[in-house]
Amino acid sequence: MHLRLNKITTNTLQMKKYSFYLVTLLGSVLFLSGCGDQNGNASSNGALASNNAEKVYVAPGEHDEFYAFMSGGYSGNVTVYGLPSGRMFKEIPVFSQFPTNGYGYSEETKPMLETSFGFIPNDDSHHPDISQTNGELDGRWLFINGNNTPRIARIDLKTFETAEIIEVPNSAGNHSSSYITENSEYVVAGTRFSVPIPQRDMPIKDYKGNFKGALSFISIEPETGHMDIKFQLIMPGFNYDLSHPGRGKSHGWFFFTTYNTEEANSLLEVNASQNDKDFIAAVNWKKIEEYVANGGGTMVPANYTHNVYSDETHSATSTMKKEVLTVDPTKVPGAVFFMPTPKSPHGVDVNPTGDYIVGNGKLSADLTVFSFDKMIAAIDAKKYDGEAYGLPILKFEDVLAGQVKSGGLGPLHTEFDDKGNAYTTFFISSEVVKWKVGTWEVIDRKPTFYSVGHCMIPGGNSRKPFGKYLISLNKITKDRYLPTGPELEHSAQLYDISGDKMELIYDFPTHGEPHYAAAIPASILAPKSQKIYKLAENEHPFATKNVSDARVEREGNVVHVYMAMIRSHFTPDNIEGIKVGDTVYFHITNHEQDFDVPHGFMMIGANNSGLLIMPGQTKTTVWEPKQEGVWPFYCTDFCSALHQEMQGYIRVSPASSNLDLSWSLGE
């Protein structure tokens, strides 16, 4: 094995670089500290001009132009914001239990959070991506990754609810996810941490050469969106950080940044920064797809769950899968190539035409742009610069399209508008920089007043960006809000990019720690929106579709309450004959058939969350009464002028009681 990676060998050069970065960081801190004070007093240059405030104002009764879906980071969920107003419309529970509506608490949704490790009601969500057709956003589904327990979720944009979650085996730190090919053939999930494959007990010091990185290509069924792991590419044991698909001429390729090509396993901030360059892995998934179709690959044992929610039964099922198809890239010539890129790269981004791949080292002051055409030419000419674990390394100079000089400090992520411009965030110098694709000329730069991470332009990760707004997603709040308590919410900033110069027009707090976001015109979403669940089509096995079917049944110490709800009463609303020690299942069906008339349910003493039940939907919650008495339940969602009257009682008798079950309404 020949691995050609240039190294910094002189202590003098290292000291000069470290001194440069230290001065830069100190200057950044001084710059940020001048934006206001820590007593809540705004500085004069922090105020927005009134005309900018008017740009974000959405009058009562009017609607936002775009919907932005922001990852919730350690909340495990997705939040939905309107643009330009910055109003938060909804939090969509995905990987975490959510007491607001009972997700992960109700019997129907608990299976969504099952994994091979058991019930995991939390995660770390990072990168949402919207399904595409012909490279354009189609508004059918949103995909989001769970980092910690590797998972990919699909959210149905008809209902804004999580419809499916698939666990990703052989992966750890599911970070370079979830990105969609331009016809939604695949959602791709890359591992951040390489691990032993298969997992086994082995010394950590033996990491190098023994740990592997899995890149998972998960197929998307064109009509239903259902996911299935098509194949896993078993790569060298680097860290796979972020990824993006090719588009247009580069359709059929996927690009992944890697760091830690040193394969260090300790003190990575030092030991994983030794090589002068790391890699962008260019993967020809079309070639691997053909290899698999012809019988290639190895099926290996693996335990991972596949959880699917049904709109018909209003219930989820969890299935444990036992094997996955793996592919050794060295057995598929022409499938994987490495492009050297400045050390410790984070983002890798592809412009709307698919001509250019942007990949930057986090410690670099310049932006590096690679040419897809040059990459193909170098591959065709077999102009390699050695290999890494049997995979060809292309020469840096042969694939380089150009560099954006003095772009900033700490480049991270790039998005694109519809006018041939690119916008890159710089973490250390805390700014967004606009540059021209093709000429590599810096056109504009604006401070973010934060340590900025990702940026997002609606459609900026597609063939058709909507180049009106840019959002910077920021990491450290600094002094933008009152210094109340040791932690503040993170923040997003909205820039108007419709003109030649960027204008910062708004910033607003965001929930959790948003990393990336995806946005789409509301006009694409609204016509597809599902307003109600039709009661006649409710196939839930415990649905009470007719009031006359409401009842209470006992099976030993288990009691099933079949309940209906409508403005403004429950049927039944009085129940007797429940005993201490019983397990009571409330199967509750909302009989409303009007848009936006959910009902809630809470039972005193229940050791889980309440429920929020949509029109025509059935949900189930469990209650284990522990004390004798007469205990109320009620509707938690204001539904009518007589909402307060929507309540009932349950009589709980001693465990030794012989009182028969009885129930009533209006008696």
Side-chain angles (χ1 to χ4, degrees):
M1 187 276 293
H2 173 61
L3 177 60
R4 184 186 182 279
L5 295 171
N6 298 324
K7 295 186 177 181
I8 298 173
T9 57
T10 67
N11 291 332
T12 302
L13 183 56
Q14 284 182 335
M15 289 303 296
K16 285 182 178 178
K17 286 195 172 184
Y18 280 123
S19 298
F20 171 76
Y21 295 131
L22 181 59
V23 170
T24 299
L25 286 168
L26 288 172
S28 179
V29 170
L30 290 171
F31 169 76
L32 288 164
S33 66
C35 297
D37 64 35
Q38 290 300 305
N39 297 313
N41 299 316
S43 61
S44 59
N45 61 7
L48 292 175
S50 61
N51 63 322
N52 284 341
E54 291 169 3
K55 288 181 179 180
V56 303
Y57 178 66
V58 177
E62 296 182 1
H63 299 150
D64 278 279
E65 184 177 358
F66 295 95
Y67 270 39
F69 300 88
M70 298 191 184
S71 63
Y74 38 68
S75 78
N77 296 329
V78 169
T79 49
V80 186
Y81 291 82
L83 300 180
S85 74
R87 297 176 297 183
M88 179 174 162
F89 291 139
K90 186 179 179 69
E91 183 168 359
I92 303 173
V94 183
F95 300 112
S96 296
Q97 286 180 300
F98 195 62
T100 298
N101 65 5
Y103 178 86
Y105 291 96
S106 71
E107 297 303 295
E108 289 80 7
T109 57
K110 284 179 181 177
M112 295 297 286
L113 302 180
E114 290 292 340
T115 75
S116 62
F117 301 93
F119 184 76
I120 306 289
N122 61 82
D123 217 308
D124 181 22
S125 60
H126 275 217
H127 305 119
D129 208 5
I130 297 171
S131 57
Q132 300 182 16
T133 301
N134 297 323
E136 298 183 13
L137 305 183
D138 59 28
R140 292 182 293 165
W141 308 301
L142 180 84
F143 296 84
I144 183 76
N145 59 322
N147 260 2
N148 184 54
T149 305
R151 290 174 277 185
I152 298 290
R154 177 175 60 88
I155 295 169
D156 190 336
L157 292 181
K158 289 188 307 181
T159 60
F160 280 39
E161 293 183 352
T162 302
E164 186 177 11
I165 297 177
I166 192 166
E167 190 178 358
V168 184
N170 298 324
S171 185
N174 180 35
H175 194 256
S176 49
S177 319
S178 49
Y179 294 101
I180 313 299
T181 55
E182 65 176 1
N183 282 299
S184 301
E185 299 95 338
Y186 294 100
V187 52
V188 177
T191 188
R192 174 181 167 190
F193 307 111
S194 289
V195 293
I197 298 178
Q199 275 286 11
R200 58 195 182 276
D201 179 17
M202 64 175 293
I204 298 173
K205 67 179 178 60
D206 294 339
Y207 177 118
K208 191 168 186 175
N210 292 308
F211 285 28
K212 301 294 181 184
L215 308 180
S216 303
F217 284 73
I218 302 168
S219 62
I220 303 169
E221 204 284 322
E223 296 301 321
T224 65
H226 286 179
M227 299 183 290
D228 186 46
I229 299 177
K230 185 77 170 181
F231 60 85
Q232 288 189 318
L233 195 61
I234 307 302
M235 296 283 285
F238 310 146
N239 291 60
Y240 296 84
D241 199 8
L242 275 171
S243 61
H244 265 100
R247 55 181 57 93
K249 65 168 58 179
S250 55
H251 176 67
W253 289 80
F254 227 95
F255 303 94
F256 299 81
T257 48
T258 74
Y259 66 98
N260 191 25
T261 50
E262 298 86 350
E263 296 180 80
N265 62 272
S266 178
L267 203 64
L268 261 63
E269 70 268 31
V270 174
N271 294 323
S273 299
Q274 299 302 305
N275 295 329
D276 186 49
K277 289 185 171 62
D278 287 301
F279 294 135
I280 290 175
V283 176
N284 187 333
W285 59 262
K286 282 281 191 182
K287 192 173 285 290
I288 300 170
E289 189 179 57
E290 181 182 358
Y291 172 77
V292 168
N294 290 326
T298 303
M299 198 68 76
V300 300
N303 287 324
Y304 62 101
T305 56
H306 187 196
N307 308 329
V308 181
Y309 184 84
S310 165
D311 282 341
E312 290 72 36
T313 64
H314 305 176
S315 302
T317 56
S318 180
T319 304
M320 183 69 75
K321 296 202 167 186
K322 294 294 186 180
E323 58 183 10
V324 66
L325 183 68
T326 60
V327 173
D328 178 351
T330 63
K331 295 182 178 179
V332 192
V336 178
F337 300 88
F338 288 126
M339 295 192 292
T341 195
K343 69 167 70 177
S344 301
H346 188 46
V348 57
D349 303 281
V350 180
N351 78 316
T353 64
D355 288 288
Y356 299 109
I357 303 106
V358 183
N360 315 292
K362 295 193 294 288
L363 303 179
S364 174
D366 298 329
L367 289 168
T368 304
V369 186
F370 299 98
S371 163
F372 178 74
D373 287 339
K374 287 186 174 183
M375 185 192 85
I376 294 299
I379 291 170
D380 290 343
K382 299 188 184 318
K383 295 178 69 175
Y384 304 144
D385 198 14
E387 62 179 29
Y389 291 100
L391 300 173
I393 301 172
L394 303 174
K395 291 183 179 179
F396 178 77
E397 296 78 10
D398 288 345
V399 295
L400 182 67
Q403 290 181 305
V404 181
K405 292 293 185 180
S406 301
L409 296 169
L412 292 184
H413 304 284
T414 300
E415 289 271 297
F416 304 90
D417 66 15
D418 54 347
K419 306 174 188 68
N421 301 310
Y423 302 76
T424 300
T425 55
F426 289 83
F427 180 80
I428 296 175
S429 53
S430 298
E431 60 185 331
V432 177
V433 174
K434 178 182 179 180
W435 51 277
K436 190 70 177 177
V437 176
T439 68
W440 326 125
E441 173 192 6
V442 172
I443 299 171
D444 191 21
R445 62 176 73 238
K446 286 290 186 293
T448 61
F449 304 101
Y450 302 84
S451 298
V452 60
H454 279 275
C455 62
M456 182 275 293
I457 292 171
N461 178 31
S462 73
R463 281 198 195 187
K464 184 182 177 182
F466 302 90
K468 190 170 183 179
Y469 300 114
L470 176 143
I471 284 185
S472 66
L473 299 158
N474 303 300
K475 298 298 184 186
I476 301 171
T477 304
K478 308 284 186 193
D479 55 3
R480 301 296 273 192
Y481 307 124
L482 286 173
T484 51
E487 188 199 16
L488 300 172
E489 287 280 34
H490 293 272
S491 187
Q493 290 178 299
L494 182 67
Y495 294 81
D496 182 343
I497 60 170
S498 59
D500 292 336
K501 298 294 184 180
M502 296 180 284
E503 287 187 271
L504 174 60
I505 58 175
Y506 196 43
D507 66 56
F508 54 93
T510 51
H511 187 55
E513 187 197 357
H515 290 258
Y516 189 45
I520 186 170
S523 59
I524 296 177
L525 295 175
K528 302 175 182 180
S529 179
Q530 181 171 327
K531 303 298 189 295
I532 63 170
Y533 295 93
K534 293 181 180 179
L535 189 60
E537 298 174 0
N538 184 332
E539 298 178 10
H540 192 290
F542 297 108
T544 304
K545 297 166 70 172
N546 298 296
V547 173
S548 59
D549 293 329
R551 63 197 185 278
V552 184
E553 296 178 347
R554 177 180 289 280
E555 299 172 1
N557 290 331
V558 176
V559 176
H560 293 271
V561 178
Y562 297 82
M563 181 177 283
M565 53 177 15
I566 198 167
R567 286 168 285 186
S568 292
H569 62 269
F570 296 91
T571 305
D573 65 358
N574 287 303
I575 301 172
E576 300 190 29
I578 304 296
K579 304 174 186 179
V580 171
D582 282 344
T583 299
V584 182
Y585 289 86
F586 293 95
H587 310 290
I588 309 170
T589 302
N590 182 349
H591 280 209
E592 304 288 352
Q593 292 290 265
D594 290 338
F595 175 49
D596 198 27
V597 189
H599 288 298
F601 178 85
M602 276 193 178
M603 179 74 225
I604 190 170
N607 292 330
N608 64 19
S609 81
L611 298 178
L612 194 62
I613 307 166
M614 299 302 111
Q617 193 176 51
T618 300
K619 285 187 178 179
T620 300
T621 190
V622 180
W623 176 52
E624 296 179 350
K626 296 178 173 61
Q627 299 180 35
E628 301 168 20
V630 178
W631 307 105
F633 57 86
Y634 66 102
C635 175
T636 56
D637 193 284
F638 197 96
C639 54
S640 74
L642 298 177
H643 165 73
Q644 291 295 95
E645 284 74 13
M646 193 169 176
Q647 65 178 58
Y649 288 102
I650 295 182
R651 176 183 172 187
V652 177
S653 300
S656 59
S657 171
N658 294 320
L659 184 66
D660 291 333
L661 280 177
S662 63
W663 59 93
S664 63
L665 172 69
E667 298 178 9

